[in-house]
Amino acid sequence: MPVRVAVNGFGTIGKRVADAVARQPDMQLVGVAKTRPSFEARLAVEKGYPLFVGGEGRLEAFRAAGLAVEGTADDMLARADVVVDATPERVGREHGAKYAKAHLKAIYQGGEKPEVAELSFSALANYDAARGKSRVRVVSCNTTGLVRAASVLRSRYGVEHWEATLIRRAADPTEVHKGPVNAILPTFDFPSHHTPDAQTIYPDLSLTPTAGVGPTTLMHLHVNHGRLQRPPASTAEVLAAFRATPRFQIFQSWEHVEGTPQVLESARDRATPRGDVMSNVLWEDGLHLQGADLHFFQAIHQESIVVPENIDAIRAMFDLAPDSATSIARTDVALGIRK
Ligand code: NAD
């Protein structure tokens, strides 16, 4: 029997997670909930996803728009084994009591505080710890990127200390009311909230991130300097380690990928769903080793990087795979991340 999955909140993350669930042979998408009619609600109907009215939404508004809805979010939850809450940050936590009352397992996103769940999750790092859990939180896009890279470096070389400068995208492409349009804004929280967030997964990770916001909607860019405990032999060795790990994509010099626009253009050329990039993106030219000091850039596609993590979280919570590698491989093949 496939695990029955409901997606509450059908925005940037929710619509991608719904598509990803629909592609998994061991999962069934029982519905998506939206608060109001929109082009995205219409898309759900066109894709054949059962559509429900979430939050304070009104059934009449959907009916007036000619969109067939099957009921309220409560009706959707009654059909599910697990709900992926992809509502805006701080809204998800308000749904906890409702999910518990419906005896549902729940996955929350990185906009919620860690306390909303029993465990913060990133598949390469702590898949086994999520087995059988009822409430799991997938960490935010930037933290997912940092923790994935930490998974590669910690296991092979140990991380003495890591300084990361995060150049964050100002808004998602559809967030037309957000800026800045013509500014780079330093974030004065020090260290940024990514340290405690990454430490929900690796408590002993010595990480000092500083962050700023740039006038772009495409991707985040991390500028990393890690001091390793056991120095690698060469940059080639480190690149091979990243290449051997799922969810890393490394561009070579001759590909002429100068920055985030070409990363996304290459995804569009490959016709990945929505032009999404669910892997951490590194550049060969951007990775340098000086003794124990590793410098590397990585780009993170904020709209999609957490999508495969939500799928693996479901598999872990229902013990659908023998180990993390099997789950990650199943997810990635189903999503076209790997052949
Ligand atoms: P979003 O605003 O794009 O989508 C949220 C959707 O939920 C909207 O369609 C909204 O109408 C709907 N909604 C609001 N209240 C609701 C309710 N009570 N019931 C049902 N639906 C409701 O937000 P998003 O960017 O998808 O973010 C969702 C979560 O994912 C947040 O926790 C966020 O921090 C996290 N996240 C976002 C990104 C990103 O870059 N967009 C990356 C990683 C994690």
Side-chain angles (χ1 to χ4, degrees):
M1 286 288 285
V3 168
R4 298 170 304 164
V5 185
V7 176
N8 198 17
F10 195 67
T12 304
I13 302 298
K15 65 185 175 186
R16 287 174 167 81
V17 170
D19 287 352
V21 168
R23 285 172 170 238
Q24 309 301 317
D26 48 359
M27 298 174 201
Q28 180 195 354
L29 181 68
V30 296
V32 301
K34 252 210 92 45
T35 48
R36 55 179 184 147
S38 66
F39 70 95
E40 284 160 325
R42 178 183 179 145
L43 175 79
V45 173
E46 285 172 1
K47 288 191 168 188
Y49 300 163
L51 177 64
F52 296 84
V53 183
E56 304 296 311
R58 293 181 308 113
L59 273 164
E60 307 77 58
F62 285 84
R63 292 198 176 122
L67 292 173
V69 281
E70 302 205 7
T72 64
D74 287 345
D75 299 322
M76 174 180 76
L77 299 179
R79 298 185 189 179
D81 302 308
V82 59
V83 55
V84 177
D85 191 300
T87 58
E89 57 182 69
R90 292 188 285 273
V91 175
R93 76 189 67 166
E94 293 166 14
H95 296 147
K98 185 198 283 252
Y99 299 154
K101 199 167 156 212
H103 303 292
L104 272 184
K105 295 196 183 212
I107 295 176
Y108 298 92
Q109 307 306 312
E112 304 305 326
K113 294 253 188 283
E115 297 72 36
V116 76
E118 298 159 272
L119 178 87
S120 289
F121 179 79
S122 185
L124 285 171
N126 64 348
Y127 181 92
D128 285 336
R131 279 180 198 279
K133 289 280 189 286
S134 298
R135 289 176 293 118
V136 168
R137 166 182 172 264
V138 172
V139 290
S140 73
C141 46
N142 277 307
T143 306
T144 295
L146 291 165
V147 168
R148 281 185 187 170
S151 303
V152 176
L153 298 176
R154 279 168 63 93
S155 58
R156 289 166 174 85
Y157 309 116
V159 175
E160 184 71 34
H161 183 63
W162 180 354
E163 290 181 2
T165 304
L166 277 51
I167 305 168
R168 301 166 64 200
R169 62 88 178 96
D172 289 341
T174 55
E175 292 178 315
V176 292
H177 302 293
K178 276 193 179 176
V181 172
N182 184 22
I184 298 173
L185 306 178
T187 303
F188 296 120
D189 296 341
F190 183 82
S192 70
H193 70 272
H194 304 95
T195 296
D197 206 18
Q199 287 173 345
T200 60
I201 292 181
Y202 287 132
D204 61 345
L205 182 65
S206 175
L207 170 70
T208 309
T210 43
V213 178
T216 177
T217 63
L218 302 182
M219 301 181 84
H220 304 296
L221 185 76
H222 299 174
V223 189
N224 300 287
H225 166 212
R227 177 151 297 161
L228 304 174
Q229 289 165 340
R230 299 178 292 281
S234 62
T235 53
E237 184 191 313
V238 184
L239 284 166
F242 280 118
R243 280 209 175 91
T245 308
R247 297 180 189 163
F248 284 88
Q249 180 182 359
I250 294 140
F251 283 108
Q252 299 179 58
S253 191
W254 56 263
E255 293 182 272
H256 299 290
V257 172
E258 293 165 30
T260 54
Q262 290 85 357
V263 172
L264 286 187
E265 183 72 2
S266 128
R268 285 193 292 260
D269 288 346
R270 285 170 181 271
T272 64
R274 295 186 174 84
D276 283 344
V277 185
M278 291 179 253
S279 298
N280 288 30
V281 175
L282 277 69
W283 286 262
E284 262 189 15
D285 287 347
L287 189 140
H288 303 281
L289 186 68
Q290 292 177 314
D293 289 344
L294 179 70
H295 299 263
F296 65 102
F297 296 93
Q298 64 175 4
I300 302 297
H301 187 224
Q302 75 280 354
E303 295 172 282
S304 67
I305 192 166
V306 297
V307 172
E309 308 293 329
N310 275 270
I311 299 300
D312 291 325
I314 295 171
R315 243 187 230 108
M317 292 162 85
F318 289 88
D319 221 356
L320 299 178
D323 51 41
S324 62
T326 306
S327 177
I328 289 170
R330 276 186 203 158
T331 304
D332 291 1
V333 169
L335 298 185
I337 299 173
R338 73 164 98 160
K339 295 272 183 292

